[in-house]
Amino acid sequence: MASFDPQTVVQAQRGDDAAREQLLGALDPILHAFFRSRIGRNSQVDDLVQNTLIRVHRGLIDLQQPERLKAFAMKAALFELQDYYRGRYTAREALFDPDRPPADPSSMDTAGLRLDLEKAMTVLTDHARRIIELRELGYPYAEIAEMLDTTEAAVKMQVKRAFERLRDALTVVLLALSAGLML
Amino acid sequence: MREPLELLALYDALGPAERAEVEHALRDNPALADAFQRWRSLRAAVRRELAEALPDRALLVLYALSDEALPDEAAPHTADALSVNEHRRLAAARGDLRALLAKHPGLVDAVRRIRDDRDAFERIWATHTERNGQADAPRPSPARADDRPAVLSRRPVRRRSPVWRVAALASVVAFAAILTFIVRRDAGWETVRVAETTTVDLPDGSTAELAANTWLMVPDADGSDLRQARLRAGRALFTVRHDPADPFTVETPNALVTVLGTTFGLDVTDVETEVVLVTGAVALASRAETDAPVRLEPGQRSRVLALEAPSAPARADLDAALDWTGDVFVPSESLARMALRLSEAFAVDIEVDPTLADEELSATHFEREAGARAALDELALALSARVAELPEGGFRIEAEP
């Protein structure tokens, strides 16, 4: 009997250990190949496969159409991949800890200097904004470059320019403040 | 070397050395530090806004897999992998999602990326099922493939009548069932499974004493990073070669133990990792939050259950936790109390010179088979004292004249 035959799925749902072993054993190399194709030969591929199989194992009983196992396993893998990007596997670099006080609190609390997100984002180009959003969604720069059909160096250059624009905008604000033009 | 502005802008992708360089530069330049802080605030605000607007990333996956067209797509996507319930769930969130996609171009790219992921999955599925004739040929279980003989040096260890503890977590059963499929031999790793208590020499010069039925993976001797091991299941007592510049790590199914040179015991199942520290220092973290470890002192224990944070370090009963080794473990305490423990463990009278009784000694362990005299000689050596045999039997630790 084929591993992904609906009958095998039904037997696994009914608690047949051999059918479940056959099913999950057949999924294992597919998931390894899939995750390696998405994140490379990363040491966390094993974890992604493990947790995807756990998702499949736990959710199998609720799969109402056994012939849709492929879609079912694919969704489990895609959910797990999003968890990976979100940072559940490796504590992603904390760009900013909101509970951590700034290096110089007095400089941050000066009236008028707290740029809100909307104003700050207007300083950035649409392209830079896309890159920053993708980065904050957890995608590495190399993958962002692939998504935007460009090179990693070009993506990083955009980020650097965004930082420069923000710094320049801040300088204008500071000058305006010191001249009493804004308060 | 990259220019400072580039380092600041890409701080999130820097290694430790470059970060140290950045932090040093910021100390000398308050204006730059202020700009950097604002940059980080901006990035954090973007992240927070995305997380608050889309707390459940699974919805993005469902949206990508549905027949919804993206803002700049002429025709709707046709493939639909969603179940009826998932369609209902998506329908409830559709309006909000559309608004989000209109506002955040990065999310549109993420949806496209998920569709690429889906296409990659389908290609790989097709390749595997075609190659394997619908994958119907029974293949050897990867777990069984792991059972090939290990090439490591092993030394069977003395006696043993291990006292086994019954795992109480019902969920272990489910995990154990599924994990039989996911274990495979990684390139560059050797698998060790032992039928009796055995001491294994690790490639970096450290050792691991394994209880029966323990499953350990160690790097190949010709690998680039020898300061690591994976304890998949069972119990082990590691004695790690001291090298503060190159910490040794032990990865378990749910936790990460970072070791600076020490002796510690591990008790591992699929969903639980317990560490008891005999000497030295270890840091224990859940694999879900490797940047939030707890640091154990000698004589303490901590536990990671599933992917929760480690429990607060608490005093360990070393003897009970490591009973399976057959050795005698003593926590940090005075010589008088340590002598009392050894007296009970070796069933022999031990007297202590009153001038030494309050001397504090660090936690340690003794091989039971080496006997009481060898254990007392070790203690005496630490105190520059000596051991004398009593005429009526037993020993006395006394100060050197």
Side-chain angles (χ1 to χ4, degrees):
Chain A
M1 183 168 43
S3 298
F4 301 134
D5 186 289
Q7 188 60 32
T8 309
V9 177
V10 170
Q11 287 180 354
Q13 287 177 315
R14 289 175 180 162
D16 182 328
D17 288 343
R20 186 181 55 194
E21 183 167 340
Q22 187 181 358
L23 201 62
L24 298 179
L27 280 175
D28 179 84
I30 293 174
L31 292 172
H32 267 92
F34 170 68
F35 286 120
R36 277 200 296 267
S37 78
R38 307 322 281 168
I39 67 167
R41 291 192 172 275
N42 188 313
S43 62
Q44 290 176 328
V45 164
D46 279 350
D47 289 346
L48 285 160
V49 172
Q50 171 176 331
N51 287 330
T52 304
L53 287 173
I54 289 170
R55 279 181 190 267
V56 171
H57 172 73
R58 287 179 171 164
L60 195 61
I61 194 72
D62 298 321
L63 178 61
Q64 293 176 355
Q65 296 172 281
E67 67 278 9
R68 287 173 67 95
L69 178 75
K70 181 178 76 172
F72 178 69
M74 178 179 68
K75 280 179 280 186
L78 295 182
F79 291 154
E80 209 55 43
L81 195 56
Q82 285 302 306
D83 272 357
Y84 167 78
Y85 290 126
R86 202 181 55 191
R88 189 163 74 78
Y89 285 81
T90 300
R92 199 158 57 84
E93 157 56 20
L95 286 171
F96 178 72
D97 180 353
D99 297 327
R100 179 180 149 199
D104 178 5
S106 60
S107 70
M108 291 298 290
D109 291 339
T110 307
L113 279 185
R114 191 182 292 276
L115 293 178
D116 66 31
L117 179 59
E118 291 292 334
K119 282 182 188 168
M121 292 303 267
T122 60
V123 171
L124 306 181
T125 63
D126 288 346
H127 197 52
R129 184 176 169 162
R130 276 172 84 182
I131 290 171
I132 289 172
E133 284 184 353
L134 285 168
R135 179 66 183 161
E136 295 309 330
L137 284 168
Y139 291 98
Y141 286 121
E143 273 190 58
I144 294 171
E146 201 178 305
M147 293 155 82
L148 302 181
D149 198 21
T150 183
T151 64
E152 186 176 350
V155 166
K156 288 183 171 177
M157 181 57 70
Q158 287 286 332
V159 176
K160 182 192 159 200
R161 285 184 184 153
F163 175 58
E164 287 172 331
R165 275 171 173 267
L166 190 77
R167 189 191 58 159
D168 293 345
L170 173 65
T171 305
V172 171
V173 172
L174 282 167
L175 289 172
L177 268 174
S178 60
L181 298 176
M182 291 176 61
L183 273 174
Chain B
M1 180 179 293
R2 289 190 277 182
E3 59 175 291
L5 278 183
E6 185 179 353
L7 290 176
L8 288 174
L10 300 170
Y11 185 82
D12 55 308
L14 300 184
E18 286 178 313
R19 285 191 178 193
E21 194 181 322
V22 165
E23 281 156 19
H24 182 73
L26 291 178
R27 276 197 289 275
D28 298 334
N29 191 333
L32 201 57
D34 192 54
F36 180 55
Q37 183 67 23
R38 286 170 194 285
W39 172 245
R40 297 175 76 184
S41 299
L42 169 73
R43 301 281 298 265
V46 172
R47 186 166 65 247
R48 271 199 304 274
E49 190 186 42
L50 289 169
E52 284 165 11
L54 188 65
D56 182 1
R57 293 272 282 269
L59 272 176
L60 205 61
V61 174
L62 296 184
Y63 190 92
L65 298 182
S66 73
D67 56 3
E68 284 284 336
L70 287 170
D72 55 353
E73 277 182 336
H77 192 74
T78 51
D80 185 353
L82 304 190
S83 67
V84 173
N85 283 339
E86 287 164 341
H87 270 296
R88 286 194 191 119
R89 190 176 162 201
L90 185 60
R94 182 169 283 118
D96 290 343
L97 278 170
R98 282 178 180 159
L100 269 179
L101 290 166
K103 186 177 177 189
H104 297 286
L107 282 178
V108 176
D109 292 318
V111 169
R112 287 203 183 90
R113 183 64 169 182
I114 293 168
R115 288 181 176 169
D116 288 345
D117 295 337
R118 174 206 56 201
D119 295 343
F121 186 95
E122 291 191 338
R123 281 194 303 274
I124 289 166
W125 181 283
T127 303
H128 275 259
T129 50
E130 282 166 19
R131 185 190 303 154
N132 297 319
Q134 245 265 311
D136 53 357
R139 291 191 295 278
S141 152
R144 284 193 290 275
D146 264 346
D147 282 336
R148 68 185 185 75
V151 296
L152 298 164
S153 143
R154 305 175 190 182
R155 303 190 299 274
V157 180
R158 307 81 65 171
R159 61 41 300 244
R160 310 307 161 173
S161 53
V163 178
W164 290 101
R165 199 172 53 179
V166 177
L169 295 171
S171 59
V172 167
V173 177
F175 275 86
I178 193 164
L179 285 172
T180 55
F181 303 100
I182 62 178
V183 177
R184 59 175 51 242
R185 183 180 184 280
D186 297 30
W189 291 85
E190 296 289 344
T191 295
V192 182
R193 281 178 165 170
V194 295
E196 62 173 342
T197 303
T198 301
T199 296
V200 175
D201 293 325
L202 305 182
D204 77 315
S206 303
T207 62
E209 185 174 345
L210 309 179
N213 302 318
T214 291
W215 175 7
L216 179 73
M217 296 175 74
V218 297
D220 285 336
D222 56 357
S224 57
D225 184 2
L226 303 182
R227 297 281 287 171
Q228 55 180 330
R230 293 175 177 175
L231 184 59
R232 294 304 197 188
R235 295 196 274 190
L237 180 71
F238 285 88
T239 300
V240 172
R241 183 176 58 77
H242 185 64
D243 185 355
D246 186 11
F248 190 96
T249 58
V250 182
E251 189 182 290
T252 74
N254 69 327
L256 186 68
V257 185
T258 305
V259 188
L260 302 175
T262 187
T263 300
F264 65 101
L266 276 172
D267 188 349
V268 171
T269 69
D270 296 331
V271 293
E272 184 179 8
T273 296
E274 182 172 83
V275 179
V276 292
L277 180 59
V278 181
T279 62
V282 301
L284 172 68
S286 160
R287 285 181 65 176
E289 268 190 299
T290 55
D291 64 340
V294 297
R295 191 180 173 92
L296 272 67
E297 302 292 336
Q300 289 187 326
R301 57 178 283 277
S302 177
R303 183 177 71 142
V304 175
L305 185 61
L307 291 175
E308 293 175 0
S311 62
R315 188 177 174 83
D317 183 344
L318 295 177
D319 251 349
L322 299 169
D323 174 73
W324 61 270
T325 65
D327 291 342
V328 179
F329 292 84
V330 287
S332 298
E333 54 192 4
S334 67
L335 176 62
R337 291 188 62 82
M338 212 174 265
L340 187 60
R341 281 175 178 264
L342 293 178
S343 174
E344 290 167 355
F346 289 105
V348 62
D349 289 333
I350 301 173
E351 292 181 2
V352 174
D353 188 325
T355 62
L356 298 173
D358 293 333
E359 291 284 347
E360 287 290 326
L361 292 163
S362 59
T364 187
H365 68 115
F366 305 99
E367 280 193 15
R368 191 181 298 273
E369 287 187 351
R373 176 62 193 248
L376 295 174
D377 281 342
E378 275 189 51
L379 294 181
L381 188 63
L383 296 169
S384 299
R386 67 179 183 183
V387 178
E389 290 192 19
L390 298 172
E392 62 275 24
F395 302 94
R396 175 182 169 82
I397 302 177
E398 52 192 26
E400 289 280 10

